[in-house]
Amino acid sequence: MSGPIYNAVRRSQGSQGSTVVGSQASPTASGFSDPKAATYLTKADLRAGTKHRKRFAIATSVFFFIALVMLILVQIGNLSNNHVLGDLYFFKIDTTNIILADPGTTSKLQQSIAESSGLHDFYQVGMWNFCEGYNDVGITACSRPALMYWFNPVQIILDELLNGKQVTLPPDVSNYLTVLRAASHAMFAMFFASTFTSFVLIFLCPLAVYSRLVSIPIALFALASGLMTFLAAGISTGMWLVLKRDILANAADLNIVPSLGAKLFVLMWIAAGCSLFAAFGQVGMMCCGTSRRDIKTGRRPVGRKARTEGGVPVEENPALRRRWWGSVSQ
């Protein structure tokens, strides 16, 4: 003798909100020989059964949205000389005192000598370009944005002081510039890719409410995105810290003062933290939290309507089918 079949029905929308409507309202009409054998799932039951998974899925989507905003700010930093974008840069070198002078030389005369030679007071680097300017004026010009841009401080100084004349560099300097270029390209590619994946995951994360099987590809994609953002932030931080250390160690006699852009680094690591948190949250949803499929197959009890005959499938009412954001259709 076959076991009872569980049917999910919805409550009526009329004044009697607790009345069960439709052909399934009557156990006899539904084919049940025993009225007590029928367990009815309402919309409230489904909401209660998946509310924790739904909230967590939406939370991961929100964290990816925050990461996307931070990554966009990292991308557009230093693209313009306005007050907001001009303060967002990875690295800055101050060449105000690069021209050595006698102890009696005033700073104004020293600055005039530097300006007459074509050298600016500072150069700052973003993801797409670099900008130059003077301390008392601010940013005066920015280079044209370039794909896979990398910052070559040696070439910039040579262009400014020697009008682009070719100079033979020591082998160790040439090797260092090769490593700097490779690291810059890797950082650029990872930031660009993680910006795109974060945007896509804002809409994919809520789909994890459906089942754990759906969660697997979403979680793997989210984990890849989070790791890319973290690696991009790590490569950027390490690269600019090493460049700062080397300038301080090898160019101290030139009076070049390097510094890091704290604001952009904060945005960058906020993006990395949000991406990793959301990624680990999606990974956790692969094994935790009641999904729609768990309710449909009877593997998990649903609120106060918990079933005692475990393992019996639930016949889903199409009226209770959830949309992508997790709400129950009317």
Side-chain angles (χ1 to χ4, degrees):
M1 181 177 180
S2 60
I5 299 177
Y6 294 86
N7 292 271
V9 301
R10 60 176 176 177
R11 299 179 186 274
S12 65
Q13 303 297 325
S15 58
Q16 297 179 350
S18 60
T19 303
V20 179
V21 298
S23 61
Q24 298 173 351
S26 172
T28 304
S30 302
F32 290 108
S33 59
D34 183 4
K36 294 182 180 180
T39 299
Y40 297 105
L41 300 178
T42 66
K43 290 186 290 186
D45 294 328
L46 290 178
R47 290 193 185 99
T50 59
K51 66 178 180 180
H52 297 298
R53 188 178 183 89
K54 174 183 175 183
R55 290 172 183 173
F56 215 83
I58 293 176
T60 58
S61 181
V62 171
F63 275 103
F64 273 118
F65 175 77
I66 297 173
L68 175 65
V69 173
M70 299 297 105
L71 288 171
I72 290 176
L73 291 176
V74 171
Q75 296 264 2
I76 65 177
N78 206 59
L79 281 178
S80 176
N81 60 355
N82 64 56
H83 180 68
V84 177
L85 298 183
D87 288 339
L88 299 177
Y89 56 87
F90 286 116
F91 189 74
K92 182 177 182 179
I93 54 175
D94 189 338
T95 58
T96 304
N97 300 319
I98 193 174
I99 303 297
L100 300 180
D102 296 331
T105 305
T106 62
S107 59
K108 288 186 177 181
L109 177 59
Q110 198 168 347
Q111 184 176 0
S112 299
I113 296 173
E115 291 178 3
S116 63
S117 66
L119 197 65
H120 292 73
D121 287 346
F122 64 86
Y123 300 86
Q124 60 186 44
V125 189
M127 188 169 171
W128 297 82
N129 63 345
F130 78 93
C131 295
E132 58 189 15
Y134 299 102
N135 294 329
D136 56 345
V137 177
I139 297 175
T140 57
C142 294
S143 64
R144 180 176 297 179
L147 192 66
M148 305 297 284
Y149 172 78
W150 72 286
F151 179 62
N152 187 343
V154 176
Q155 188 62 45
I156 290 175
I157 293 177
L158 292 178
D159 288 341
E160 297 286 349
L161 291 178
L162 303 178
N163 296 323
K165 294 181 180 179
Q166 295 296 323
V167 177
T168 302
L169 298 175
D172 55 341
V173 175
S174 299
N175 294 335
Y176 177 78
L177 292 178
T178 301
V179 174
L180 179 62
R181 178 173 55 195
S184 298
H185 289 172
M187 177 197 71
F188 188 102
M190 288 185 180
F191 270 131
F192 198 82
S194 60
T195 302
F196 173 76
T197 55
S198 295
F199 172 77
V200 174
L201 284 164
I202 293 174
F203 305 98
L204 286 183
C205 285
L207 296 178
V209 175
Y210 281 104
S211 74
R212 299 165 197 258
L213 292 176
V214 174
S215 293
I216 294 175
I218 297 177
L220 295 178
F221 188 47
L223 188 60
S225 178
L227 289 177
M228 270 196 304
T229 309
F230 180 80
L231 287 176
I235 291 174
S236 176
T237 303
M239 179 179 66
W240 299 119
L241 283 175
V242 170
L243 181 60
K244 178 182 178 181
R245 183 199 64 187
D246 288 350
I247 291 178
L248 289 175
N250 302 317
D253 55 340
L254 296 178
N255 288 338
I256 298 177
V257 181
S259 60
L260 302 179
K263 294 180 180 179
L264 193 62
F265 275 77
V266 169
L267 297 177
M268 180 175 62
W269 281 107
I270 289 176
C274 289
S275 295
L276 281 179
F277 181 85
F280 289 137
Q282 284 292 324
V283 170
M285 293 176 68
M286 293 170 59
C287 60
C288 303
T290 302
S291 66
R292 276 184 48 83
R293 182 174 175 82
D294 292 333
I295 297 175
K296 182 177 179 180
T297 57
R299 287 188 300 229
R300 295 287 181 90
V302 186
R304 67 179 187 277
K305 298 294 184 180
R307 295 179 284 268
T308 57
E309 302 86 358
V312 180
V314 174
E315 183 181 320
E316 184 188 34
N317 188 335
L320 296 176
R321 191 167 296 145
R322 287 181 178 270
R323 299 189 178 95
W324 68 270
W325 59 84
S327 62
V328 179
S329 60
Q330 300 295 331

